[in-house]
Amino acid sequence: MPIKDSELILNPDGSVYHLNLRPEHIANTIITVGDPDRVDTVTKHFDAVDFKTHKREFHTQTGTYKGKRLTVISTGIGTDNIDIVFNELDALVNIDLETREIKPKLSQLNIVRIGTSGSIQKEIPIDSFVISEYASGFDSLLHFYNSEHIQYKAISNALMEHTNWFADKSSPYVVKCDDVLLQKLSSERTHKGFTATNVGFYGPQGRILRLPIQDNDLNDKLASFNFEDRPITNLEMETAGIYGISGLLGHKALSMNAIIANRATGEFSSNPKAVVEDLILYTLNKLVD
């Protein structure tokens, strides 16, 4: 049965509504970045860029790096944007946009996030790289989908008990990266991490400017949590949504984090742009290796 116009919205040129993309515009391997300006920071290393488009915060470029076709797309900040980007990327490869029907044979994308993050463990220093093996989402995105089969309930239950989780907040969900991508992009340069995906930058991450927060000790509770030798290592705002939606749709996903702050020590990188640039080149070369 065709998907209704109101559910899968297309632009007059046949592209998906928010991303302004058609199927031929994207590669099988996709790099996501939060900042639209970071798309150029990645693709400046490409041998060639053969496609560019942008709409709102969603900037996309597709080209080749060392002979491998890659797409780079900005998602903006937050898991609400991840819901848009990942559903529309999936529609590009797994829904016939002319008939509006799901294809009988589904395709699988490889999706790698390159982003910045803050460590909450003293042992993970600024200017290092963390690969998120697991992620816990403090948003409610995954609870809107039939998703319990990809969640790690034992971990999320232990986390809520350890932190004395405030009942009015959304229950955390825990999801995992793709093991093949994890192995491919890991090295002696990377730390294996358990990432907390927050719903905001200030209060939700324990920052206080003028507004008091509900739990002043939450970051300390998160830092002291450890489930079967898996401590929470870092905070950011997209990874759990990426793993959740990718897992539900059958795509492979991995999150690469440039650690530019250490909340435990109060340090901030003296040159965050250089750290991100280093992670970009590291990821690109690992993807084509």
Side-chain angles (χ1 to χ4, degrees):
M1 175 181 290
I3 299 171
K4 295 177 182 178
D5 291 0
S6 61
E7 311 307 290
L8 175 61
I9 305 170
L10 301 179
N11 296 310
D13 65 353
S15 61
V16 290
Y17 182 65
H18 294 93
L19 304 187
N20 211 33
L21 296 170
R22 295 195 302 270
E24 65 269 22
H25 293 153
I26 65 169
N28 180 257
T29 298
I30 296 174
I31 294 171
T32 70
V33 295
D35 183 357
D37 291 337
R38 194 172 292 152
V39 174
D40 285 327
T41 307
V42 178
T43 61
K44 72 180 182 182
H45 299 290
F46 281 19
D47 309 319
V49 174
D50 53 51
F51 174 79
K52 294 182 180 182
T53 192
H54 69 271
K55 184 178 180 182
R56 304 184 187 185
E57 62 265 55
F58 309 117
H59 291 206
T60 306
Q61 295 183 25
T62 296
T64 55
Y65 178 75
K66 295 185 177 179
K68 183 177 180 65
R69 192 165 186 254
L70 300 169
T71 291
V72 185
I73 184 169
S74 62
T75 62
I77 297 174
T79 57
D80 50 347
N81 279 4
I82 295 303
D83 183 59
I84 292 171
V85 172
F86 279 59
N87 273 290
E88 292 194 4
L89 286 175
D90 178 76
L92 290 170
V93 296
N94 288 323
I95 298 174
D96 186 318
L97 300 184
E98 292 186 4
T99 65
R100 294 179 167 273
E101 294 185 338
I102 297 172
K103 295 178 179 179
K105 184 178 180 180
L106 300 179
S107 298
Q108 185 178 64
L109 297 171
N110 297 302
I111 305 172
V112 177
R113 169 190 177 267
I114 298 177
T116 56
S117 184
S119 168
I120 58 172
Q121 302 291 345
K122 293 179 180 179
E123 295 76 19
I124 299 179
I126 55 172
D127 302 339
S128 63
F129 302 159
V130 168
I131 299 182
S132 306
E133 182 182 19
Y134 289 85
S136 181
F138 298 163
D139 61 307
S140 60
L141 175 60
L142 222 58
H143 298 314
F144 285 89
Y145 293 96
N146 182 7
S147 63
E148 290 201 357
H149 60 290
I150 67 164
Q151 294 187 40
Y152 289 78
K153 286 286 191 177
I155 304 178
S156 57
N157 289 337
L159 177 60
M160 286 189 286
E161 181 178 357
H162 178 81
T163 58
N164 191 25
W165 194 256
F166 186 47
D168 286 350
K169 294 177 182 175
S170 175
S171 299
Y173 59 87
V174 176
V175 283
K176 194 176 186 294
C177 74
D178 176 75
D179 288 331
V180 174
L181 287 177
L182 175 65
Q183 182 176 359
K184 183 175 180 63
L185 275 83
S186 295
S187 75
E188 70 282 349
R189 293 199 62 188
T190 59
H191 298 267
K192 189 182 293 185
F194 182 175
T195 298
T197 295
N198 300 83
V199 295
F201 184 78
Y202 288 97
Q205 294 191 38
R207 292 183 172 91
I208 301 173
L209 301 183
R210 290 202 314 116
L211 296 177
I213 59 177
Q214 180 272 325
D215 187 349
N216 288 288
D217 300 319
L218 181 58
N219 280 3
D220 290 336
K221 294 175 184 176
L222 295 176
S224 63
F225 177 73
N226 190 314
F227 186 89
E228 297 179 354
D229 293 325
R230 296 188 186 97
I232 292 180
T233 52
N234 60 302
L235 310 177
E236 52 75 75
M237 295 178 63
E238 288 91 35
T239 297
I242 289 172
Y243 288 179
I245 300 300
S246 294
L248 292 175
L249 291 170
H251 302 300
K252 297 180 179 181
L254 190 71
S255 179
M256 308 290 292
N257 302 273
I259 301 300
I260 62 171
N262 188 301
R263 302 294 299 283
T265 64
E267 297 174 286
F268 190 82
S269 175
S270 61
N271 194 347
K273 288 186 178 180
V275 184
V276 173
E277 176 74 9
D278 195 15
L279 180 59
I280 288 169
L281 283 170
Y282 174 89
T283 303
L284 286 173
N285 287 317
K286 280 288 186 179
L287 285 173
V288 303
D289 185 14

